[in-house]
Amino acid sequence: MTATGAIEATGARDAPAGPWWWPRRRSAVLDVSLAVVSTLETAFEGLDFAGDAGLPSWVGLLLGLVVGPVLLLRRRWPVAVVLVSIAVTPAQMGGLLSIVGLYSLAVSDAPRRVVGLLAGMSVVGTLVSSFFTIRQDVGGEPDFHPPTWFVLVMAAAVALVVTAPPVLWGLYVAARRRLVESLRERADGLERELSLLADRAEERAEWARNEERTRIAREMHDVVAHRVSLMVVHAAALQAVALKDPEKASRNAGLVGDMGRQALTELREMLGVLRTGEGASGRSSAPVSDEPERLVAVASKVKSQAAPDSGGAGGAGVRSGASVAAEAGAGPGGPARGGAVVVTAEPEGEGPSLADLDGLVGQSRVAGMAVELSVDGVAGAGAYPPGAEQTVYRVVQEALTNVHKHAPGARVRVRLAHREGEVAVQVENGPSERGAADVGLPSGGNGLVGMRERVTGLGGVFVSGPTEAGGFRVSAVLPGR
C-alpha cells in the first residue's frame, strides 16, 4: 500500500474499512467518481482520435473505456497509472488521468528518483504532443506564421502547466503527512515514556514505603527489645531471691518497674511520631522520609536520659513515663490534643553516640551480666558522622540483648577501636555458664539482620558467627567522615 493509503488509514482509525485496497469507503467513492469522469473523457477523446486517425469509431471508444478506469488503481499502483497516461499522450487522451496520476505518484511512498523520472517523461510526452498540435493549429492560419522557437516555448509552457502543479502539490502533501505522522509517533513515544516513568515512579514509591516500614520496625526492635529483655532478666532475678533476700528483691522489683515505664514511654514516643506524621501531614512541612530519624532521636533521648540512673535502687533517679511523655508532647504549639504525644524531630547529633556506651554497658551490669568495655585509641572531635556513632551504639545494644537471650551468665567483652578513617567495634561472649538460669526470652531472628542492614547501609562491614570457645562474636567496621 502507498503512503497515501497508510496515512489515511491512520487518520481514520474509527472509520469502517473500505473494500480491497481502499482504507475507507469515502476514498473508494472518490476514486470511483474520478474513474467514471476519466472514462467519459477518454471515451470522447477516443472517438476524436479514431476519426483523425481514420480508425473505426468503436476502436477509439474501446480504447477510452479501457484507459479511463485505470484511475481506480491510483492508490495501489500509481506508477502504472502514470505510465498509461504517458502512453496515451500522443493520442491526446487522458488529461485528468495524467493530472491525478502524477499527484498520486508524488504523494505516494515511491522513491523520489522514480517520481522525477516519470514526471520528466510526462513533461517530454506532453511537450512533444503539444508542439505538433500547436504547430498544426498555427499552420492552418494564413496570416500568422510564428517561428519554431515560439511554438516550442508555447508547448513547453503547456507541458509545465499540466505537469508541475500536481507534482508539486503531491510532494507538499506527502511532506506534510510525513511530518504529521512523525509528530504522532513522537507523541506516542512520549506517552509510552511517561507511562514507563509513571510505572517506575510507582515502583520507587512502593520500594520507599517498604524501606520505611523496615526501618521503623528495626528502630522499634532495637529500642524496645533491649529494655524488655532487661525487664525479663530482672524479673527472673526477683523470682530467684524473693524469699531469700527481700531487700534485693525489692530493688529488683523497682528496676523492673522502671524498665517497664521506660519501655512504655519509648513506645508511646514512637507511636506518637507515627500518629503525628499521619494526622498532621497537612500542617507539618517535615517529609515522611524523616520519620525513622525522628524515631531514632526520640528513643535515643529517652535511653540516654535513663542510662545514668538505671543503677539506682528503686529507680529513684528515673523519671516516670508520664513525665517524659509530657515533656516530649510539649512544644511551640502546646500539648497535643486528646492527650496524643507530639514529638518534634531532634537534630541528628542528639541521638545515641559513642559516649553513651558506658551507660549501655552499665545497664547490663546491673542486670547481672559480667561485661567489660575497652576502648583503643582516641577519637578526635567530629571524627565520625552521627549516623556511624548511632550504628555502633545499636550494634552493641543488640549484641548485649542477644547475650541476655541466648547466653545467660556468659562473660562479655566489648571492644571499641578508633582507627584512621574508621571505627571498629566487637562484642564477644563466652559460653553460657552452667547453672545459669535461662530466663526464656523469645527471639524473632531480626537482630542480626537489622545490624547488618544498618552497617552495610553506611558502607561498612559486618561479620557475625560462633567462636571456637563456644561463644559468639559480632564485629562491625564503619567508615569515618
Side-chain angles (χ1 to χ4, degrees):
M1 181 178 290
T2 63
T4 306
I7 295 173
E8 290 179 352
T10 304
R13 295 173 181 174
D14 298 333
W20 294 346
W21 54 81
W22 284 286
R24 48 188 177 178
R25 293 170 183 170
R26 187 173 64 183
S27 301
V29 172
L30 175 62
D31 288 355
V32 170
S33 302
L34 291 175
V36 170
V37 174
S38 176
T39 301
L40 294 176
E41 178 195 7
T42 53
F44 285 108
E45 292 173 346
L47 292 174
D48 294 340
F49 170 72
D52 295 339
L55 299 174
S57 299
W58 63 269
V59 175
L61 180 61
L62 180 62
L63 180 61
L65 294 177
V66 171
V67 172
V70 174
L71 268 182
L72 292 173
L73 308 175
R74 74 181 188 93
R75 298 177 189 269
R76 183 80 172 182
W77 295 293
V79 175
V81 175
V82 175
L83 289 176
V84 171
S85 68
I86 294 174
V88 298
T89 298
Q92 297 182 356
M93 296 173 58
L96 180 61
L97 179 67
S98 176
I99 294 174
V100 177
L102 288 173
Y103 168 80
S104 301
L105 177 65
V107 83
S108 70
D109 59 351
R112 290 294 163 247
R113 62 178 181 273
V114 176
V115 175
L117 177 62
L118 294 180
M121 293 173 60
S122 180
V123 169
V124 173
T126 306
L127 175 64
V128 173
S129 176
S130 300
F131 177 78
F132 286 105
T133 301
I134 293 174
R135 190 176 67 172
Q136 183 180 1
D137 294 341
V138 172
E141 298 292 334
D143 298 333
F144 183 64
H145 300 283
T148 303
W149 65 265
F150 178 79
V151 178
L152 184 61
V153 170
M154 293 297 295
V158 171
L160 291 176
V161 168
V162 173
T163 305
V167 173
L168 295 178
W169 180 251
L171 292 175
Y172 166 74
V173 172
R176 183 176 179 275
R177 287 177 176 175
R178 283 194 296 270
L179 176 61
V180 171
E181 185 66 19
S182 175
L183 294 177
R184 183 181 291 111
E185 292 178 356
R186 184 178 300 178
D188 293 340
L190 290 176
E191 184 177 357
R192 288 191 296 269
E193 290 180 4
L194 289 177
S195 178
L196 182 60
L197 290 176
D199 294 340
R200 291 180 177 176
E202 181 63 25
E203 293 177 359
R204 288 195 296 269
E206 182 65 25
W207 176 83
R209 287 192 290 268
N210 293 334
E211 286 294 314
E212 293 300 317
R213 296 190 189 101
T214 303
R215 294 175 65 184
I216 292 173
R218 186 167 60 239
E219 298 300 334
M220 295 184 68
H221 173 271
D222 291 344
V223 172
V224 179
H226 179 74
R227 190 75 65 186
V228 174
S229 298
L230 294 179
M231 289 173 55
V232 175
V233 172
H234 285 298
L238 173 63
Q239 184 179 8
V241 301
L243 299 178
K244 299 179 181 180
D245 192 348
E247 183 178 355
K248 187 175 181 180
S250 176
R251 290 198 302 269
N252 287 338
L255 290 174
V256 171
D258 295 335
M259 293 294 177
R261 283 189 290 271
Q262 293 171 21
L264 289 176
T265 299
E266 294 170 7
L267 185 58
R268 288 194 188 100
E269 297 277 350
M270 288 182 287
L271 294 179
V273 169
L274 296 179
R275 293 193 187 100
T276 305
E278 294 177 358
S281 58
R283 303 187 301 269
S284 175
S285 60
V288 177
S289 60
D290 291 339
E291 296 301 329
E293 284 74 8
R294 299 174 65 190
L295 293 174
V296 176
V298 170
S300 303
K301 178 181 178 182
V302 176
K303 189 168 291 297
S304 62
Q305 291 173 347
D309 300 325
S310 59
V318 181
R319 293 181 297 170
S320 66
S323 63
V324 177
E327 290 185 10
R337 296 181 180 179
V341 179
V342 180
V343 181
T344 57
E346 295 283 344
E348 189 177 11
E350 294 189 8
S353 62
L354 299 181
D356 300 323
L357 288 178
D358 288 332
L360 180 64
V361 172
Q363 295 178 17
S364 295
R365 288 198 185 105
V366 172
M369 178 185 292
V371 54
E372 176 186 354
L373 174 63
S374 62
V375 180
D376 298 333
V378 179
Y384 312 116
E389 295 193 16
Q390 294 172 11
T391 300
V392 170
Y393 181 92
R394 295 303 182 196
V395 168
V396 176
Q397 181 187 60
E398 181 61 29
L400 294 178
T401 301
N402 289 338
V403 174
H404 284 295
K405 291 181 180 179
H406 308 293
R411 300 183 63 84
V412 184
R413 184 175 183 183
V414 180
R415 301 175 182 177
L416 180 67
H418 300 285
R419 303 172 183 172
E420 184 177 358
E422 63 183 15
V423 57
V425 62
Q426 182 183 89
V427 181
E428 181 178 353
N429 63 275
S432 178
E433 291 185 357
R434 294 182 180 181
D438 187 357
V439 294
L441 286 169
S443 175
N446 299 317
L448 293 177
V449 175
M451 286 191 283
R452 186 180 302 277
E453 290 177 352
R454 285 180 178 275
V455 174
T456 56
L458 295 178
V461 179
F462 178 82
V463 179
S464 64
T467 63
E468 296 180 356
F472 201 84
R473 180 187 298 115
V474 173
S475 302
V477 180
L478 291 167
R481 292 190 181 274

